[in-house]
Amino acid sequence: MARSPSEPLRRLLPEVIRPVPLESSSRSDRAFGRRCILAAAVLWSLSGVFTKSLAGLDAGTIAFFRGLFAGLALLPLVRRANMQLRAPMIPLVITFAAMTGLFIAAMKATTAANTIFLQYSSSLWAVPLSLVFLREWPDRRSLWCIGVAAFGIALIVVRGGGGGPNDSLGIAMALGSGVGYAGVAVGLRSLRGLDPMWLSSVNNLGGALVLGLVLLMVSGSIPLPTWPQAGALLLFGIVQMAIPYVLFARGLRDVPAPEAGLIALVEPLLNPLWVLLIIGEAPNEPTLTGGAFLLAGVALRYLPLRRPRPVPTVATPVTPTDSAPG
């Protein structure tokens, strides 16, 4: 019986994403895991360049095709036995569609720096959402981090314009994208018993379906891209979405989640840099200052705490008198 081309990949993937005890990872494994996560962050950071290069397409169409191509690229890597449906997937898919649609729309309306920094405000919104839906209470450290990040968010909202007529709308949509990002994170945590590759496939394909329905209701059709635009959208979905996810999942095998979160902060740093170098769009000073505070708050959440070393105690010798019964 002939095997499908994706069968070797399906056999490999469980080894890629299966969690293993970090103590069993060698130093070279850790280094390889860090490189995978760094590569994922670099590829994720290309969203601004892709979006702003597709000037002839609206945000909804871009988000639709990006999710469609990413989902189609990930789906063949999922084992059939892991394809399980759960009721909470429905609100998760709708939230994912809202997040991606708002993110692309914000990227179109305001600067890439405003958009990517405010999407990372998800760390702030995730705390109350986790409290409401998962009954997870924040610790004192989380509250301090929220305070630092909130100052940066306020600075971007009040002073972080890029000079365009739709800056205020773009900033509002970027904040909405951050709320959606937090909702997706909480939803994924509630479904953490399922295959993450399957969840990513469902989110991208289901999100594309939701976005497609919205386009049909609003404009009556889904605009078809030209062949060059279709090629760019294909790269957008596979290179910027699908491949980084596989790399990040592979890196998590050997790198603790807090360290992975710190490495992933390369994405919001590089995103506006690529846009500046390739598109020529420069963020203003309040955006950079606010972004620094926001990312500092996120980084503080992931930085490991140094625990005080226990003071060694000297055992007191037991004398025959001490050990005798009273």
Side-chain angles (χ1 to χ4, degrees):
M1 182 177 179
R3 293 186 303 175
S4 65
S6 60
E7 185 174 344
L9 291 174
R10 286 201 300 269
R11 289 185 174 180
L12 171 64
L13 198 64
E15 299 301 321
V16 169
I17 64 174
R18 180 183 298 147
V20 296
L22 294 176
E23 292 80 3
S24 65
S25 299
S26 65
R27 182 174 299 180
S28 60
D29 290 336
R30 288 280 187 98
F32 180 73
R34 293 185 184 104
R35 289 196 294 270
C36 286
I37 293 172
L38 179 61
V42 172
L43 292 177
W44 275 327
S45 71
L46 298 175
S47 60
V49 171
F50 272 112
T51 302
K52 292 183 179 294
S53 298
L54 291 163
L57 293 175
D58 63 274
T61 302
I62 296 174
F64 167 77
F65 281 104
R66 182 181 76 155
L68 178 64
F69 290 139
L72 291 176
L74 290 171
L75 189 60
L77 306 180
V78 182
R79 282 188 169 186
R80 188 177 298 274
N82 294 336
M83 297 181 180
Q84 305 175 40
L85 296 177
R86 297 286 187 273
M89 287 180 172
I90 297 175
L92 176 60
V93 163
I94 295 173
T95 304
F96 187 87
M99 177 196 73
T100 56
L102 287 171
F103 178 79
I104 299 297
M107 193 71 74
K108 285 276 191 179
T110 187
T111 63
N114 284 341
T115 304
I116 192 65
F117 289 156
L118 290 177
Q119 192 188 46
Y120 267 74
S121 68
S122 59
S123 297
L124 185 153
W125 311 117
V127 172
L129 290 177
S130 297
L131 177 61
V132 171
F133 293 104
L134 302 179
R135 298 294 189 267
E136 294 180 351
W137 289 84
D139 55 15
R140 184 178 300 178
R141 184 184 189 187
S142 297
L143 297 178
W144 276 105
C145 296
I146 287 175
V148 175
F151 178 79
I153 293 170
L155 191 57
I156 295 175
V157 170
V158 175
R159 299 289 304 278
N166 298 318
D167 268 333
S168 298
L169 178 61
I171 288 174
M173 289 188 293
L175 277 173
S177 175
V179 176
Y181 194 0
V184 169
V186 172
L188 290 174
R189 181 166 175 77
S190 69
L191 293 168
R192 56 186 176 272
L194 299 182
D195 180 5
M197 196 66 64
W198 165 239
L199 288 175
S200 184
S201 303
V202 170
N203 281 336
N204 279 286
L205 291 175
L209 176 62
V210 173
L211 290 167
L213 292 175
V214 172
L215 288 172
L216 289 174
M217 289 188 295
V218 172
S219 59
S221 64
I222 300 176
L224 293 178
T226 63
W227 284 111
Q229 290 172 338
L233 289 168
L234 181 66
L235 290 175
F236 199 178
I238 295 178
V239 174
Q240 194 272 332
M241 284 286 281
I243 293 177
Y245 185 84
V246 176
L247 288 171
F248 193 80
R250 172 59 185 86
L252 285 177
R253 287 190 63 208
D254 302 300
V255 178
E259 183 180 352
L262 283 174
I263 298 173
L265 289 179
V266 169
E267 179 201 357
L269 297 177
L270 290 181
N271 193 307
L273 177 62
W274 301 140
V275 173
L276 172 63
L277 295 176
I278 298 174
I279 307 297
E281 175 191 274
N284 62 14
E285 185 175 342
T287 292
L288 295 176
T289 305
F293 275 95
L294 199 160
L295 296 182
V298 177
L300 287 173
R301 185 67 188 90
Y302 289 123
L303 284 174
L305 289 174
R306 295 186 63 183
R307 298 178 179 178
R309 294 181 178 179
V311 179
T313 57
V314 179
T316 303
V318 178
T319 64
T321 304
D322 295 329
S323 59

